[in-house]
Amino acid sequence: MTDKDSQVLIQLLKALADESRIRILGILTQHETSVDELSAYTGLKPPTVSHHLSRLRELGLVSMRADGNVHFYKFQNESLRRLNRLLQPEKLAAMATAEGDAWEQKVLNDFLIGEQLKEIPASRKKRLVILKWLVQKFEWDVRYPESEVNETLKRHHPDFATIRREFIGNKLMLRENGVYWRIGSESKPDSGR
């Protein structure tokens, strides 16, 4: 979901979060109506109705037609189709991924000075972000002797043994006979080293 789509969705949902606007839209789905009629149906004062209609027009939820001095408002069906497209699971997932990426970047910024890890996070969730960042220092399809894993990790934090154990415990790497290799969804067949 693009930033523009995200902002449109947020604005639409904010507009629909108001009970008076929902009532106005409900009336407008049935027939074209003037401000005075909407005021009578909803019990709201005409300036309040006009304010809500202005907001709904900005978002494309209603359209206006002038007939002399009277303005008539009509619900725009296309606006619900647009909202429906924005509320598709894959669109919402993309929005969540972007938020998740921003949070992960914040964790990295909080715990790293350049390539140096200030400390191993106590929070499991934050620790996993750091571990995923660190495991990327190792290539797929490559088997590393423990000494090489230690040397690579020492460049980022002195407690390489803990990080090594965390890799194994979090299933980011496998170990056999002092040899380590990456595993996970991007894991590829072993090529040895």
Side-chain angles (χ1 to χ4, degrees), residues 124 127-128 131-132 134-135 138 143-146 149-150 153 160-184:
R124 176 187 276 275
R127 189 176 332 124
L128 191 55
L131 292 171
K132 286 180 179 178
L134 280 169
V135 81
F138 301 92
R143 292 184 177 258
Y144 296 91
E146 188 170 297
V149 172
N150 292 345
L153 293 176
F160 54 86
T162 296
I163 295 170
R164 241 187 19 240
R165 284 190 298 274
E166 290 285 338
F167 281 165
I168 303 301
N170 285 285
K171 298 185 183 351
L172 296 171
M173 288 187 114
L174 284 178
R175 173 185 62 212
E176 187 176 305
N177 298 326
V179 176
Y180 293 74
W181 63 95
R182 283 181 70 178
I183 61 169

Side-chain angles (χ1 to χ4, degrees), residues 15-27:
L16 296 174
D18 185 284
E19 183 181 352
S20 296
R21 289 184 190 137
I22 293 289
R23 288 173 52 213
I24 289 169
L25 284 174
I27 294 164

Side-chain angles (χ1 to χ4, degrees), residues 1 9 80-96:
M1 179 178 290
L9 178 60
L80 278 188
R81 284 190 277 278
R82 180 175 41 145
L83 181 60
N84 189 41
R85 284 191 300 271
L86 293 173
L87 287 172
Q88 294 300 311
E90 61 276 1
K91 294 270 190 179
L92 291 174
M95 184 186 233

Side-chain angles (χ1 to χ4, degrees), residues 21-160:
R21 289 184 190 137
I22 293 289
R23 288 173 52 213
I24 289 169
L25 284 174
I27 294 164
L28 294 176
T29 60
Q30 297 169 28
H31 52 82
E32 189 178 62
T33 310
S34 71
V35 170
D36 287 335
E37 290 172 310
L38 285 169
S39 178
Y41 291 142
T42 62
L44 299 171
K45 294 182 187 217
T48 303
V49 171
S50 292
H51 167 75
H52 288 306
L53 288 168
S54 173
R55 184 78 179 110
L56 295 170
R57 278 187 65 208
E58 287 172 10
L59 296 168
L61 294 166
V62 299
S63 62
M64 182 197 70
R65 163 182 82 77
D67 186 3
N69 291 335
V70 180
H71 294 153
F72 290 93
Y73 294 86
K74 181 178 179 180
F75 179 72
Q76 294 300 114
N77 290 329
E78 177 55 34
S79 60
L80 278 188
R81 284 190 277 278
R82 180 175 41 145
L83 181 60
N84 189 41
R85 284 191 300 271
L86 293 173
L87 287 172
Q88 294 300 311
E90 61 276 1
K91 294 270 190 179
L92 291 174
M95 184 186 233
T97 300
E99 295 296 323
D101 291 345
W103 179 81
E104 288 180 4
Q105 189 57 53
K106 181 185 180 323
V107 170
L108 291 171
N109 291 340
D110 289 347
F111 284 90
L112 294 172
I113 299 174
E115 292 278 307
Q116 191 66 33
L117 180 60
K118 293 187 237 181
E119 64 181 290
I120 298 171
S123 158
R124 176 187 276 275
K125 192 173 176 184
K126 290 178 182 177
R127 189 176 332 124
L128 191 55
V129 170
I130 295 298
L131 292 171
K132 286 180 179 178
W133 176 80
L134 280 169
V135 81
Q136 291 175 20
K137 307 301 176 189
F138 301 92
E139 296 180 34
W140 296 104
D141 295 335
V142 177
R143 292 184 177 258
Y144 296 91
E146 188 170 297
S147 60
E148 192 172 338
V149 172
N150 292 345
E151 284 304 313
T152 300
L153 293 176
K154 272 188 213 179
R155 286 185 235 138
H156 304 285
H157 194 271
D159 191 356
F160 54 86

